[in-house]
Amino acid sequence: MNKKLSREEEMKLLKRHEEARQANAPQVRPGPGGPGRRGPGPMMYKEKPKNMGVTVKKLIKYIGKSKYLVFALLFVMVLSSLAGLCAPALQGMAIDNISNGLGNARLIKILIALGSTYLLSASLTYFQAVYAAKLSQKTVYTMRRDLFEKISYLPIKFTDTHKHGDIMSRMTNDVENVSNTVSTTLGSLVSAVVTLIGTLSVMLYYSPLMTLVAMVSIPLTIFTTTMMSKLMRKYFVRQQRILGSLNSHVEEMVSGYKTVVAYGREEKSKARFEEINREFKHTAIRANFFGGIMGPLMNMIGNIGYLLVAAAGAYFVIKGDISLGVIQAFIIYTKQFTRPINEIGNQYSQIINAVAGAERVFEIMDTEPENAGELEALDSGKVKGNITFNNVHFAYKKEEPVLRGFSLEVKAGEKIAIVGKTGSGKTTIVNLLTRFYDIDSGEILLDGVDICKYSKSTLRKSIGIVLQDTVLFSDTIEANVKYGARNASDAEFDRALESANADVFVERLPEGKKTLLTESGQNLSQGQRQLLSIARAVLLDPKILILDEATSSVDTRTEMQIQSAMQRLMEGRTSLIIAHRLSTIRDADKIIVLADGKIAEYGNHDELLAKKGEYYTLYKTQFAGIKT
C-alpha cells in the first residue's frame, strides 16, 4: 500500500537511511582521521533548494561560452519560426483564391510558395537539431571538465562529509540531465519566444478582436503553469537527492562486497537498498505524475481557446467582417500561438529536473577550493624538518573537541612515536600538519614559520605519508611508485624498490615493474602493497615522514620486512610514527602518549615503562594480557 508521506516524514526517512548506512556499512569510508576514526558525520541535504534564478543564470553563462553556436542556432530558429508564420498566410490566400475563383495560375504560384516554405522549414529543423546537439555536448563537456577540476581540488573536509556515491551521481546523472535539456529544450524555448511574438503580431494585423478572444485562455495557462511548477520542483529536487543516496549505497555495496559476504549481510544490504529504492520510486512517480499532467492540462486549455476562436470566427465570417481564408489562417495561428506554451508545459518537468541537477553540480563548484588563499611556495629542498605545535585546539565538530591545547616540539631528524587510545587525536595531528584540516586556534610551525603561510600543495611535497590502507591505482607498478615523482630516473626507481624491500617480489612478477595492477592493487598481497607504498615515499625523498599504523594489517614476518624498510626510510628524516603495535616504536627517540586531546606523558620506551602510567597500561595490555 502506497502511503503519501509528508515532507517531514520523507526527511526523517532519508535520515534513517543515512543512519542505517553508517551503522551497517560494509566498508567504513575513510574519515578525517583515517579509516574508522573520528570525523564529522554525514552531510544531510537541506530541505530548501537553491534559488532557481541563480542556477539558470549560471547555466546561461556555460551555454554562452559557445557563442558562435548559440548565434547560429538562434539564426536558424528565427528563420524556421518565420517560415512557420508564412505557411498559414499562404494557406489562407490559397483558400480565398479558390473561393473567389481568381484563377489557377495564381493558385499554382501560391502552392509552389507554400511547398517551398515547408521544404525550407524542414531543412532549418534539421540544422536546428544539429546545432542544438553540438551546443549541448560542448556545454556539458565544459561543465564536466570544470566539475572534475573542482573535485580534484576540494578540501578533504568536503569529501569526508559528503557521500562518495552522491558526488559521483552529480558528475554523471545530474550533468546528463542538463545535457538532455540543453539539446532538446533550449531550441524549443527560443523558438517559442519567436513564434509567440511573430504569431501575435500577425494575429493583431488580421483582427484585433479575434486576437482578444484568443487571449482569454492565457491567464488560465499562466495560473496552471505556476501552480504545477511548484509541485514539480519540490519532487524533482527530492528525486535527485534520493538518487544520490541510492548511488552511495550501491557504491558501498560494491566496494565492500567481500565484507558484506563475509558477515552474511547480503539480506540486510538488499533490504536497505529496497527501502531507498522504494522511496525513490514513490518520489519519482509523484514527480513524473505532476510533470506528465502538465502537457494534457496545457492541451486542454489550448483546445478551449481554439474552440472559442472557431466559434467567434464563424460568427464574423457569417457577418462578412473577414473572409474564409482569413479565418482558416487565424485558426492555424491560434494553434501556433498555444503550441509553444503547450510544448513548454510538456517539457517543464525536464527543465525542472535539469535545474535541480544543476543546483547540485553548482553546489560543488561554489565550494571554496583546497588551494584558496595560498601565499607562497615552500621549497622542499630547503626544509630542515623542525616541527612545533603551539597550544593547538581543533574539533571536527564544535561540540566535540579533539585536541585541547596540544603542544609538541620535534627537532629535525627525530623519530617521534604517537600512541593513545582510539579517538585520542593521533591521526588528527597528521591531518593538521598536512593541512587536510586547518586548526581552530594556536599555531603549527615548520622550521619556525607558520605552515598557513605556505601553499598546501608545496607543503605536502615536503611530507611523505605511508598509511595503514595503501592506495594504489589501476596502472603499472612503476607508475604507482613514481606517483609523486614522475620525473624520477630508472636508477632512482630501482633504488627505491630495493630500499623498500620490494625489488625481490617485483622481479618475480611476469612483467616486472610493468605489471598492471587491478583496482586498489587487489592482485597483490597486503604486505606487497605496503612495500610499494614505502617505495613511493622513498622516491619522493621527503624531509618529513609520517607512518600511520603502516604495519597493523600484515603478518609478523611481513611486518619485519616492512619495519626494515621503514628504518632505512626514516634515516635522516623527521619522522612521526602512529602505531597501535607498541613493539614497532621501541627505538623511537621520544614517545608521546595522547589522552583527551593532550599529552598525558612522554619519554622513551624505558622511561615510560618505569613511570607505570598510560603507556605502561597500554604496553601491558598488549604483551601481558592485563585487562583494564
Side-chain angles (χ1 to χ4, degrees):
M1 180 176 67
N2 293 339
K3 178 183 176 183
K4 184 176 182 181
L5 302 176
S6 66
R7 174 179 295 183
E8 291 76 18
E9 289 173 331
E10 289 192 17
M11 291 307 295
K12 287 179 181 178
L13 182 58
L14 279 175
K15 187 174 181 180
R16 288 201 303 271
H17 291 162
E18 187 58 39
E19 289 172 348
R21 188 184 72 82
Q22 290 294 317
N24 303 300
Q27 183 175 5
V28 179
R29 177 172 54 83
R37 298 177 176 85
R38 178 186 300 181
M43 179 204 69
M44 293 305 297
Y45 290 111
K46 296 180 180 179
E47 175 72 307
K48 185 178 180 181
K50 290 183 179 180
N51 184 277
M52 183 173 179
V54 173
T55 304
V56 171
K57 287 180 181 178
K58 291 178 180 178
L59 275 175
I60 290 174
K61 286 183 179 179
Y62 268 96
I63 294 171
K65 291 181 180 181
S66 303
K67 57 184 180 181
Y68 295 113
L69 266 178
V70 172
F71 290 145
L73 183 59
L74 289 175
F75 178 73
V76 169
M77 286 189 295
V78 169
L79 288 181
S80 179
S81 299
L82 291 177
L85 292 174
C86 292
L90 291 171
Q91 288 181 21
M93 292 170 62
I95 291 174
D96 284 340
N97 185 89
I98 295 172
S99 61
N100 296 328
L102 298 179
N104 293 333
R106 186 170 184 271
L107 178 61
I108 291 174
K109 291 180 181 179
I110 294 173
L111 292 177
I112 291 174
L114 184 61
S116 301
T117 301
Y118 285 138
L119 182 61
L120 176 63
S121 179
S123 301
L124 293 173
T125 301
Y126 166 77
F127 286 108
Q128 177 180 326
V130 172
Y131 291 148
K134 287 184 177 181
L135 179 60
S136 166
Q137 293 307 312
K138 286 196 173 185
T139 299
V140 297
Y141 164 80
T142 306
M143 185 177 289
R144 278 201 181 100
R145 182 195 62 196
D146 293 350
L147 178 59
F148 189 84
E149 181 179 357
K150 176 55 71 77
I151 291 175
S152 300
Y153 290 98
L154 282 174
I156 300 297
K157 182 178 181 180
F158 188 94
T159 57
D160 280 343
T161 55
H162 288 70
K163 294 176 288 185
H164 295 174
D166 181 64
I167 295 176
M168 291 187 287
S169 179
R170 301 185 195 208
M171 172 66 76
T172 54
N173 298 327
D174 293 332
V175 174
E176 190 62 28
N177 284 335
V178 174
S179 172
N180 293 335
T181 301
V182 172
S183 63
T184 60
T185 306
L186 179 63
S188 298
L189 290 176
V190 177
S191 179
V193 173
V194 176
T195 301
L196 285 173
I197 295 174
T199 303
L200 182 60
S201 300
V202 176
M203 288 169 66
L204 286 171
Y205 169 78
Y206 274 123
S207 174
L209 188 58
M210 287 285 291
T211 303
L212 184 61
V213 174
M215 295 298 104
V216 170
S217 62
I218 299 302
L220 183 59
T221 299
I222 295 174
F223 173 77
T224 304
T225 302
T226 302
M227 295 302 296
M228 293 298 296
S229 66
K230 291 180 180 179
L231 290 170
M232 283 191 294
R233 179 171 173 77
K234 178 179 70 173
Y235 285 112
F236 273 110
V237 170
R238 195 170 300 169
Q239 174 182 300
Q240 292 303 108
R241 290 174 173 174
I242 299 175
L243 182 59
S245 296
L246 194 68
N247 288 335
S248 292
H249 177 71
V250 173
E251 187 260 342
E252 282 188 338
M253 172 66 181
V254 173
S255 61
Y257 183 70
K258 290 182 180 178
T259 306
V260 173
V261 174
Y263 283 88
R265 304 290 290 183
E266 297 95 332
E267 289 300 320
K268 284 287 185 181
S269 181
K270 178 183 174 182
R272 274 205 326 278
F273 176 85
E274 180 65 22
E275 186 180 8
I276 302 173
N277 195 32
R278 186 184 301 110
E279 179 58 20
F280 177 77
K281 179 190 72 173
H282 294 163
T283 304
I285 288 174
R286 293 167 190 163
N288 288 313
F289 170 76
F290 288 114
I293 203 174
M294 175 70 87
L297 282 175
M298 293 298 100
N299 289 333
M300 184 184 71
I301 295 171
N303 289 333
I304 292 173
Y306 177 78
L307 180 62
L308 291 175
V309 169
Y315 173 75
F316 290 129
V317 169
I318 293 172
K319 286 185 62 178
D321 293 338
I322 56 177
S323 68
L324 185 61
V326 169
I327 189 59
Q328 167 66 20
F330 206 96
I331 289 175
I332 296 176
Y333 281 127
T334 303
K335 294 291 286 185
Q336 281 193 350
F337 185 78
T338 56
R339 178 175 52 80
I341 300 176
N342 292 339
E343 285 181 354
I344 294 173
N346 290 330
Q347 296 173 350
Y348 200 82
S349 60
Q350 184 177 347
I351 296 172
I352 292 297
N353 202 11
V355 173
E359 284 180 342
R360 288 159 43 79
V361 171
F362 290 131
E363 180 186 349
I364 294 181
M365 290 190 180
D366 292 339
T367 302
E368 199 70 18
E370 167 92 315
N371 55 359
E374 292 187 352
L375 296 177
E376 58 182 287
L378 174 62
D379 186 351
S380 58
K382 296 181 180 180
V383 173
K384 297 178 181 178
N386 296 293
I387 304 171
T388 305
F389 291 82
N390 283 334
N391 194 31
V392 172
H393 290 261
F394 175 76
Y396 295 109
K397 297 179 180 179
K398 291 183 179 180
E399 65 275 11
E400 299 179 13
V402 180
L403 296 182
R404 313 163 188 258
F406 176 78
S407 296
L408 174 66
E409 185 170 350
V410 183
K411 295 180 181 179
E414 277 191 322
K415 290 189 290 184
I416 304 297
I418 303 174
V419 301
K421 297 179 180 179
T422 300
S424 60
K426 302 185 298 296
T427 303
T428 297
I429 294 172
V430 174
N431 288 339
L432 298 179
L433 179 61
T434 53
R435 290 196 67 192
F436 290 160
Y437 287 80
D438 286 325
I439 60 177
D440 296 331
S441 63
E443 61 179 357
I444 302 176
L445 308 178
L446 176 59
D447 295 337
V449 180
D450 195 324
I451 62 173
C452 291
K453 294 184 178 180
Y454 295 124
S455 71
K456 294 180 181 180
S457 58
T458 57
L459 171 68
R460 292 166 188 166
K461 289 180 181 178
S462 302
I463 303 174
I465 303 178
V466 180
L467 299 173
Q468 173 185 354
D469 295 318
T470 304
V471 176
L472 296 176
F473 302 95
S474 300
D475 206 334
T476 63
I477 289 179
E478 181 180 22
N480 273 279
V481 173
K482 289 184 177 181
Y483 192 74
R486 290 294 186 186
N487 297 323
S489 66
D490 289 341
E492 290 172 329
F493 170 80
D494 293 336
R495 283 196 297 270
L497 286 184
E498 184 179 355
S499 180
N501 290 335
D503 54 328
V504 175
F505 88 82
V506 171
E507 289 174 358
R508 290 175 179 173
L509 295 173
E511 298 181 47
K513 65 182 181 180
K514 297 298 183 181
T515 300
L516 282 172
L517 301 183
T518 58
E519 184 178 0
S520 301
Q522 292 299 317
N523 52 338
L524 298 179
S525 70
Q526 175 67 31
Q528 290 171 333
R529 294 198 295 269
Q530 197 66 280
L531 291 176
L532 291 181
S533 178
I534 294 173
R536 182 161 58 196
V538 171
L539 199 58
L540 185 62
D541 192 23
K543 294 295 183 181
I544 300 171
L545 182 64
I546 296 172
L547 304 174
D548 190 352
E549 300 182 22
T551 63
S552 62
S553 300
V554 296
D555 60 86
T556 305
R557 182 175 180 180
T558 305
E559 179 184 346
M560 293 176 62
Q561 285 185 299
I562 295 175
Q563 281 287 85
S564 173
M566 289 194 302
Q567 289 298 331
R568 287 196 290 270
L569 179 60
M570 288 187 286
E571 290 177 3
R573 295 182 173 90
T574 303
S575 302
L576 298 180
I577 310 165
I578 297 173
H580 282 306
R581 293 187 183 180
L582 303 185
S583 60
T584 64
I585 58 172
R586 289 187 178 185
D587 61 343
D589 297 321
K590 189 185 297 182
I591 299 173
I592 306 299
V593 182
L594 286 180
D596 297 324
K598 296 180 180 180
I599 295 179
E601 55 187 6
Y602 65 92
N604 61 36
H605 176 74
D606 295 330
E607 291 172 345
L608 291 176
L609 286 180
K611 289 181 180 180
K612 294 191 175 182
E614 289 276 346
Y615 183 80
Y616 177 84
T617 302
L618 290 171
Y619 187 81
K620 288 299 182 182
T621 299
Q622 286 191 19
F623 296 100
I626 298 176
K627 296 183 179 180
T628 60

